[in-house]
Amino acid sequence: MIPLVKPFIPDKRILMPALEEILYSGYIAEGQPVRDFETEFSHFIGNNNCLALHAGTDALHIALILAGVRQGDEVISTPMTAEPTNIAITMVGAKVVWGDVDPNTGLLDPESVRSLISPKTKAIMLVHYAGMVCDMNKFNEISKEYNIPIIEDAAHALGSKFNGNYIGNNSQYTIFSLQAIKHMTTIDGGFIVLKDDRQMSRARRLKWFGLDKKVSRLENDIKETGYKYAMNNLNATIGLVQMKYLRRVLNIYIDNGIYYDNNLKNINGVELVKYYPNTEPSYWLYTMKVEHRDDFIKMMESNGITASPLHHRSDTHSIFKDSKRELPNMEKWYSNFIHIPCGWWISDEDRNKIVNVIKKGW
Ligand SMILES: *Cc1c(COP(=O)(O)O)cnc(C)c1O
């Protein structure tokens, strides 16, 4: 079976010596390799304010704290995401307010978000689901008009672009995940990326018990609760090796995605997603809509290809029962969206086969 997701792990002959050296170096906690990884990641994104963490979820938690979201506040978010996005909002005691999605893209609808803004709204959580970028022109306008910060959950969107720049240069807060199945993995890991450096020193303290690493332990004074969210040298070493492959790996995702955009056009029962102005997806998963989805999945499976919606909508969990509301466009989207394999493991032959199988119908 051709899988929908697959971790990219660099060549053993390059990765293992680097890992072995760090593992026996006597310094395996957070040290120089983490700083080096931050520097390389910052160069890639084009933004110097990138802070490495143990997970993307940690980055979401810190972003919410920095945005000033507290108990009783509201955060407008999307049900069309993986679990960490909205569970993180509960970590600061805030209420999730479900925005509806655009039924053509599955991404949060700016007009729905606008209609839900209240005096309690402290942040807007955007998810660039599957690597597709939200309608940032409109969201930037809303953020400015109401003076509400945006947190971009870019766990699926490393290498996606808005206005020609990589995601991670637009909003006050952006988070990335380096978990096993993301575009780039360090086994577990994440980044919080800030638009400017004003909150950088607080972010650094929040990831390490509230301690200031620049000051000696004896002189340190903890002023607020911090967490144990630092990345360690081993994960960072994997990241440093991954950076050598990142552009090549991303290019395969993107090249395959564009191939599907061009070759799955005008097929009966298939509706492709139109991307928003000034955005370029990095196709973590290839996303489209199909008629008779269950039959489509079975047909693909019988041809050795995985096709799946992959994520379960977040708003049906009991923990969010107080947030329940009707989301008519989400219903429309949720009933027929599908993902097909698109990543670095898909060869030209595979993608050609996938297109031909879909063309034959189901
Ligand atoms: C993977 C993921 C995260 C972060 O997950 P971690 O496993 O904590 O790195 C956040 N949001 C989304 C949408 C994700 O898919």
Side-chain angles (χ1 to χ4, degrees):
M1 284 289 271
I2 301 177
L4 203 52
V5 291
K6 186 171 174 174
F8 174 82
I9 304 292
D11 190 327
K12 220 197 250 201
R13 288 164 301 183
I14 298 173
L15 180 59
M16 293 317 281
L19 265 180
E20 194 171 316
E21 191 186 323
I22 282 298
L23 189 54
Y24 294 97
S25 68
Y27 201 155
I28 55 179
E30 189 192 21
Q32 194 56 41
V34 179
R35 301 287 88 75
D36 294 345
F37 184 34
E38 283 172 340
T39 304
E40 293 225 357
F41 192 80
S42 296
H43 284 160
F44 177 83
I45 296 291
N47 178 341
N48 279 333
N49 306 302
C50 299
L51 194 66
L53 300 170
H54 181 70
T57 309
D58 305 347
L60 284 166
H61 189 189
I62 291 184
L64 286 155
I65 296 171
L66 293 178
V69 182
R70 293 161 178 259
Q71 187 88 33
D73 292 337
E74 294 178 355
V75 177
I76 302 172
S77 182
T78 174
M80 195 58 240
T81 184
E83 292 76 6
T85 312
N86 294 305
I87 292 301
I89 296 171
T90 71
M91 290 177 188
V92 292
K95 181 180 175 191
V96 177
V97 174
W98 301 115
D100 206 351
V101 301
D102 177 339
N104 303 308
T105 63
L107 301 176
L108 209 49
D109 171 11
E111 289 321 308
S112 170
V113 170
R114 184 188 284 277
S115 74
L116 293 164
I117 291 173
S118 84
K120 288 187 177 174
T121 312
K122 290 288 153 57
I124 297 167
M125 178 72 81
L126 299 181
V127 178
H128 303 308
Y129 181 74
M132 302 180 288
V133 179
C134 294
D135 192 349
M136 291 317 305
N137 288 326
K138 293 210 177 127
F139 280 114
N140 285 341
E141 270 172 35
I142 293 173
S143 172
K144 218 166 145 191
E145 189 179 330
Y146 293 89
N147 196 24
I148 297 172
I150 289 173
I151 300 171
E152 293 181 45
D153 179 339
H156 300 175
L158 181 58
S160 297
K161 288 182 177 174
F162 171 59
N163 275 346
N165 296 317
Y166 282 130
I167 294 298
N169 289 283
N170 176 63
S171 299
Q172 200 55 47
Y173 312 100
T174 305
I175 77 96
F176 292 97
S177 168
L178 308 171
Q179 186 267 343
I181 62 173
K182 305 297 157 75
H183 283 107
M184 174 167 84
T185 181
T186 57
I187 314 306
D188 261 320
F191 271 100
I192 182 167
V193 179
L194 306 182
K195 185 154 184 173
D196 53 54
D197 62 7
R198 279 178 296 169
Q199 291 182 298
M200 208 53 183
S201 48
R202 186 168 173 218
R204 285 187 200 287
R205 289 194 302 273
L206 285 169
K207 78 164 156 74
W208 195 245
F209 307 115
L211 284 161
D212 186 344
K213 280 211 156 185
K214 288 206 195 97
V215 179
S216 88
R217 253 201 163 124
L218 293 176
E219 286 164 70
N220 242 296
D221 177 34
I222 295 177
K223 298 184 187 72
E224 69 171 326
T225 302
Y227 301 84
K228 202 200 165 202
Y229 285 170
M231 181 176 272
N232 65 53
N233 282 351
L234 284 160
N235 293 128
T237 299
I238 298 172
L240 280 166
V241 178
Q242 288 281 26
M243 291 302 300
K244 299 187 206 293
Y245 297 83
L246 181 58
R247 278 175 208 277
R248 257 180 289 165
V249 170
L250 280 173
N251 280 342
I252 307 176
Y253 281 87
I254 293 168
D255 192 59
N256 285 336
I258 292 172
Y259 179 86
Y260 290 140
D261 283 341
N262 291 330
N263 289 279
L264 292 174
K265 267 189 230 158
N266 307 321
I267 297 178
N268 245 339
V270 173
E271 196 185 318
L272 299 187
V273 171
K274 258 183 73 191
Y275 310 114
Y276 293 110
N278 312 106
T279 72
E280 295 168 52
S282 61
Y283 303 92
W284 178 56
L285 301 164
Y286 191 79
T287 311
M288 59 189 188
K289 295 202 283 182
V290 290
E291 285 172 12
H292 311 295
R293 182 170 66 187
D294 291 344
D295 297 334
F296 179 85
I297 292 170
K298 275 190 210 121
M299 176 280 287
M300 293 291 273
E301 201 175 67
S302 69
N303 284 287
I305 305 154
T306 311
S308 163
L310 199 66
H311 291 99
H312 190 276
R313 58 191 293 175
S314 293
D315 56 332
T316 53
H317 291 289
S318 305
I319 191 173
F320 298 123
K321 62 180 183 306
D322 295 340
S323 297
K324 191 107 199 97
R325 57 183 290 268
E326 301 274 304
L327 302 169
N329 288 338
M330 179 65 185
E331 300 298 334
K332 281 186 209 155
W333 166 260
Y334 197 65
S335 61
N336 61 4
F337 84 98
I338 192 81
H339 299 301
I340 58 172
C342 174
W344 62 270
W345 60 99
I346 302 302
S347 65
D348 287 3
E349 209 174 285
D350 290 333
R351 70 190 195 182
N352 187 28
K353 174 185 162 178
I354 290 170
V355 166
N356 286 331
V357 159
I358 295 173
K359 276 187 177 159
K360 281 197 200 124
W362 58 97

